[in-house]
Every structure is written in structure tokens, then in C-alpha cells.
């Protein structure tokens, strides 16, 4: 595929037409520590929830929504493949009250997601070089797990004190 200037374009995907906020109530399937200060949160994937690798959702904690003046949502990149039946996220834990509440979520708890949001950045067929650090690797993992035909190299920062979740998968 060539653009108007004769250069190569990345594969295009049709983004859905959104007429209302795409909000879904879902169950937590698992919440586990994968690094010293990072968790892997796995949620059920709603029916008709279609996303493109590289997109994100807003994770809403309904209990915090009931309290005025409290942060009840934050955006997180999806790191699972669109073909899987779950939604997987990597979150870096901080001392914020919001993330403390996320860390306390158990299997069976309900949360809300708003999304998918954002565009995608699937590599062009000639390839690409992508850089990431820590949990920022999530959208790249989604691309990797989606068997995208384009080739790409990923340089991901990994340090024992602040590692990249799923580092073994990248090695």
C-alpha cells in the first residue's frame, strides 16, 4: 500500500463507529503479582468487544465512583490478542489510593471498562523498531500476541528493581 507521496503505509484497520460511550461491566478473572511492583490483571472479555492491537481501555472502579472527589478510573493498554476470550493488562503499582484498590481486586469482583479507545500502531510490512520500558510494553505485547504479519524489533528496558512484565515472553 502506498501513500500519496509514494511511501509505504501501515496496514489500515477500520475503527468502529461509536454513538455512545462503550462501557461494559466485567468480572475480574485473576489479579496476580508478576514483578516486584507490577500486577497482571485479567478481565472477562465482553461479547462484541472488538479491539485492535495497541488500543486501551479506561478501568473504572465502581465503588470509587460513588465517592465524590476520588479518582475512579485510569487508562491501561490491552496486552492480550484480539482473538483471546480475556482482556489482560499489566499495571505498575504505586502508592496511589486508586492503584491500592486495584491491587485488592479479587477473582469475581466486578469493574467497568470504557473502550476500546485510541488508534493502533501496527508496524508496516517493511518492519519497525519500537522502544518501551516496564509496563509500557503492554501495547507491544498485544501486537506480538496478535500474529501481525509485519516484522518489528522491540527494545524493552528490563531491570530487576523495575522489570518489564512478561520479559521471558520477549526473550
Amino acid at each position: 500500500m502506498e501513500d500519496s507521496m509514494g511511501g509505504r503505509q501501515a496496514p489500515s484497520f477500520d475503527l468502529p463507529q461509536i454513538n455512545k460511550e462503550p462501557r461494559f461491566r466485567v468480572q475480574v478473572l485473576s489479579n496476580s503479582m508478576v514483578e516486584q511492583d507490577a500486577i497482571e490483571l485479567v478481565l472477562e472479555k465482553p461479547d462484541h468487544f472488538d479491539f485492535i492491537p495497541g488500543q486501551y481501555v479506561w478501568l473504572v472502579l465502581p465503588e470509587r465512583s460513588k465517592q465524590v472527589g476520588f479518582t475512579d478510573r485510569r487508562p491501561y493498554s490491552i496486552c492480550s490478542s484480539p482473538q483471546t476470550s480475556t482482556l489482560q493488562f499489566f499495571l505498575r503499582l504505586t502508592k496511589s489510593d486508586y492503584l491500592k484498590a486495584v491491587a485488592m481486586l479479587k477473582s469475581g469482583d466486578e469493574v467497568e471498562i470504557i473502550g476500546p479507545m485510541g488508534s493502533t500502531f501496527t508496524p508496516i510490512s517493511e518492519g519497525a523498531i519500537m522502544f518501551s520500558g516496564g509496563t509500557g510494553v503492554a501495547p507491544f505485547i498485544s501486537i506480538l500476541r496478535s500474529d501481525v504479519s509485519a516484522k518489528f524489533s522491540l527494545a524493552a528496558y528490563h531491570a530487576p528493581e523495575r522489570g518489564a512484565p512478561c520479559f521471558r515472553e520477549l526473550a
Side-chain angles (χ1 to χ4, degrees):
M1 212 177 343
E2 291 189 6
D3 63 17
S4 62
M5 303 297 283
R8 301 289 293 166
Q9 286 183 321
S12 65
F13 296 97
D14 292 330
L15 293 176
Q17 294 297 316
I18 298 174
N19 298 332
K20 65 180 182 120
E21 180 180 74
R23 185 180 287 240
F24 302 89
R25 192 166 192 87
V26 297
Q27 280 195 345
V28 173
L29 299 178
S30 67
N31 186 356
S32 56
M33 190 73 69
V34 291
E35 290 287 335
Q36 179 179 344
D37 62 348
I39 60 173
E40 175 187 62
L41 182 65
V42 181
L43 306 176
E44 70 178 327
K45 183 178 171 184
D47 292 336
H48 310 294
F49 183 90
D50 299 315
F51 70 94
I52 300 167
Q55 288 189 298
Y56 68 95
V57 300
W58 286 90
L59 177 63
V60 182
L61 303 180
E63 287 303 311
R64 291 183 62 86
S65 297
K66 297 174 186 174
Q67 304 168 0
V68 176
F70 286 86
T71 300
D72 69 344
R73 70 193 69 189
R74 289 208 177 144
Y76 293 101
S77 294
I78 303 167
C79 60
S80 46
S81 162
Q83 290 78 29
T84 61
S85 61
T86 62
L87 295 173
Q88 182 182 18
F89 305 89
F90 293 123
L91 292 78
R92 177 80 56 207
L93 297 177
T94 66
K95 296 183 188 320
S96 81
D97 289 336
Y98 173 87
L99 282 168
K100 287 177 186 175
V102 171
M104 302 279 294
L105 292 171
K106 300 178 299 302
S107 179
D109 287 347
E110 288 191 339
V111 297
E112 294 177 345
I113 56 172
I114 303 171
M117 301 287 183
S119 58
T120 183
F121 43 85
T122 304
I124 60 173
S125 58
E126 286 83 5
I129 299 174
M130 302 176 189
F131 296 90
S132 172
T135 56
V137 75
F140 302 112
I141 294 299
S142 179
I143 293 169
L144 178 69
R145 291 176 174 171
S146 298
D147 296 325
V148 173
S149 61
K151 295 180 182 187
F152 66 94
S153 296
L154 172 62
Y157 175 75
H158 177 73
E161 67 277 0
R162 200 163 170 117
C166 68
F167 182 73
R168 288 171 201 80
E169 184 177 351
L170 297 172

